[in-house]
Amino acid sequence: MKRFILLVVIVFLGYVSKPLWEEPVQQLIPSSIWDSVHQTVEQVKEDPNVNIIIDNLTERFNSLLEDFDTKQLESNDTNIATPELLEPTEEMFSIHNIELGDSRAEVEQIIGHSPKRSTLNEYGVHWDAYHENYQNFIMVAYDEEDIVRGLYTNQDLIASSTEIMLGSSMELVREQLGKPETIIPYRLFHYAINSNGEYDVFHLDNSYVTIFYDQHENDTVTAIKIIDEELERGKNTLYSEPSEQLQVGFEYQLFDLTNATRSNHNLPLLSWDDQVKETARKHSMDMAENQYFSHTNLKGQSPFDRMEEDNIPYTTAGENLAYGQISSIFAHEGLMNSLGHRKNILQERFRKLGVGVAFNNESQPYYTKKYFSN
């Protein structure tokens, strides 16, 4: 009887925790508007008194545009050396030559600078994000004694005592590490892993290693998360207790992960926009409170209607939604494995991003990402 009840609990948890996706949306200002602007300019240009002014403005505009493009390229294409990766000495994997059990002092000596951001994560500790303009991107979780208990990267910073590295095949990973876990036993519940081939979880020594795959790059390793066993199993519930700190943490973590991925693809980095973040957060809150999941809200407003209502001008915009992922890492990796969402993440025209997160009454997070340029 006990075994039957346990089985029911496992299946139930696996079902209710299944993440959901909504097809992404993207919109450009209609060409008819640009045609109207072009027609007006042509009419004005017929007046000889303004030709010189227009020519001067055009020359100045082109100069500013060239300066802007140069700065965008410089901000993202600066050659920052990838560190020489050494085989780990204590653990099977290291990231940026950092292993579980290292101290904060050792980490920052290796990296050479303090974190760019520190935000609360689902384990009740903080992800400290280290990077150089989103190159050499790594997130580190410390315990109260400043000892490393968690690591993550989606860049070429993975070293291993096996042959596994960024870009390795799923086949090689499973050949080297064996059969992935199907259940993680927590203190008060068991979680049935339902990854749909997007990632594998391995219980190695005293840690849980999650290896993420890019399904659009032949199922190759695209990221890795390493969590101390005690920290992983210390959770009392699958979804963390909602708080304003966790809300902000998930929002900024999803923003940083997006830029780290854009850096990998040599795309212009996105700047954080507080105004559109509020628009995104309001939509997440609306979905969480009213128990729906859609780009169109219950008033019939589209993502672009909501931006216009909040007086946010744009020439191109897009929105990604996710629901049910236990963290921003899983939300981001899942979005990258959906072609439509991936297109928004890697859209070259976008320049700004705001992320809004809200939790429903079961502590499940709703994620809204709003991209735009103006």
Side-chain angles (χ1 to χ4, degrees):
M1 185 63 181
K2 289 182 179 179
R3 290 185 178 179
F4 175 74
I5 294 173
L6 177 59
L7 177 61
V8 170
V9 170
I10 290 172
V11 172
F12 175 74
L13 286 171
Y15 175 77
V16 300
S17 62
K18 182 181 180 180
L20 297 177
W21 310 98
E22 177 71 5
E23 283 303 308
V25 293
Q26 191 180 126
Q27 178 169 298
L28 295 171
I29 291 294
S31 59
S32 58
I33 295 178
W34 292 118
D35 292 342
S36 176
V37 171
H38 179 73
Q39 182 179 359
T40 303
V41 170
E42 289 300 319
Q43 291 172 352
V44 173
K45 286 180 69 177
E46 293 176 2
D47 185 346
N49 295 325
V50 297
N51 278 345
I52 295 176
I53 296 175
I54 290 177
D55 289 342
N56 288 338
L57 287 174
T58 300
E59 183 178 350
R60 178 59 178 159
F61 175 77
N62 288 335
S63 175
L64 289 172
L65 193 60
E66 288 176 6
D67 288 345
F68 175 78
D69 288 339
T70 299
K71 288 178 181 177
Q72 284 291 332
L73 290 172
E74 287 176 350
S75 70
N76 196 34
D77 291 345
T78 303
N79 286 326
I80 297 174
T82 300
E84 180 186 357
L85 300 178
L86 307 175
E87 185 174 317
T89 58
E90 301 294 333
E91 304 287 330
M92 186 174 292
F93 288 96
S94 66
I95 298 177
H96 204 308
N97 295 325
I98 298 163
E99 302 177 44
L100 296 186
D102 288 349
S103 68
R104 180 187 289 272
E106 290 173 318
V107 169
E108 297 187 358
Q109 182 179 12
I110 292 171
I111 293 177
H113 58 82
S114 57
K116 304 293 185 182
R117 197 192 312 278
S118 183
T119 51
L120 188 67
N121 64 29
E122 68 274 20
Y123 297 104
V125 296
H126 286 73
W127 280 125
D128 282 15
Y130 298 87
H131 58 86
E132 300 162 272
N133 208 32
Y134 289 101
Q135 296 182 51
N136 294 335
F137 179 82
I138 174 176
M139 296 200 301
V140 183
Y142 300 98
D143 63 16
E144 294 178 353
E145 298 178 353
D146 276 344
I147 301 300
V148 176
R149 298 301 181 198
L151 293 164
Y152 168 89
T153 191
N154 60 0
Q155 296 188 350
D156 191 11
L157 300 169
I158 304 168
S160 172
S161 57
T162 68
E163 300 174 15
I164 298 168
M165 61 182 68
L166 196 77
S168 294
S169 68
M170 178 192 292
E171 182 180 6
L172 175 66
V173 170
R174 293 179 176 178
E175 177 186 310
Q176 297 281 318
L177 301 183
K179 186 177 179 181
E181 300 295 316
T182 57
I183 293 174
I184 300 179
Y186 291 91
R187 289 190 297 191
L188 301 179
F189 67 100
H190 287 61
Y191 173 58
I193 298 170
N194 182 20
S195 70
N196 294 317
E198 294 185 359
Y199 60 89
D200 283 332
V201 180
F202 299 94
H203 187 200
L204 305 174
D205 299 325
N206 297 313
S207 66
Y208 281 94
V209 176
T210 304
I211 296 183
F212 297 91
Y213 304 109
D214 191 330
Q215 295 181 321
H216 303 295
E217 293 290 342
N218 300 314
D219 290 324
T220 51
V221 175
T222 190
I224 186 171
K225 184 182 75 160
I226 308 168
I227 300 293
D228 176 82
E229 178 181 31
E230 185 176 349
L231 182 62
E232 180 66 57
R233 289 187 174 179
K235 296 171 63 177
N236 291 323
T237 59
L238 181 60
Y239 294 101
S240 304
E241 184 69 24
S243 68
E244 184 177 353
Q245 272 190 303
L246 186 61
Q247 178 186 38
V248 171
F250 279 177
E251 290 169 347
Y252 277 121
Q253 287 156 25
L254 196 47
F255 172 78
D256 287 341
L257 292 164
T258 301
N259 264 341
T261 296
R262 288 176 70 90
S263 176
N264 289 344
H265 290 79
N266 296 314
L267 293 169
L269 300 177
L270 303 174
S271 60
W272 177 263
D273 189 275
D274 270 321
Q275 187 179 6
V276 84
K277 179 264 291 183
E278 290 299 329
T279 304
R281 187 182 280 186
K282 284 190 294 184
H283 187 57
S284 288
M285 291 175 64
D286 188 37
M287 290 190 292
E289 291 173 1
N290 293 291
Q291 301 180 21
Y292 74 95
F293 185 62
S294 174
H295 291 292
T296 303
N297 66 18
L298 300 182
K299 297 178 182 178
Q301 292 176 311
S302 73
F304 315 106
D305 294 331
R306 298 193 298 275
M307 289 180 71
E308 291 169 6
E309 184 177 62
D310 289 345
N311 299 313
I312 301 173
Y314 65 91
T315 56
T316 180
E319 180 176 272
N320 282 354
L321 301 180
Y323 157 64
Q325 291 72 26
I326 59 176
S327 73
S328 290
I329 289 176
F330 283 95
H332 173 72
E333 299 299 340
L335 289 169
M336 280 296 292
N337 274 326
S338 167
L339 277 177
H341 297 97
R342 183 190 187 98
K343 184 177 179 181
N344 272 347
I345 293 170
L346 302 180
Q347 175 54 254
E348 187 174 1
R349 293 192 300 270
F350 291 149
R351 291 295 182 270
K352 298 181 180 181
L353 172 63
V355 181
V357 171
F359 304 90
N360 65 12
N361 56 12
E362 295 178 348
S363 302
Q364 296 169 318
Y366 286 72
Y367 305 84
T368 301
K369 300 178 69 178
K370 299 190 75 69
Y371 313 80
F372 73 105
S373 294
N374 54 16

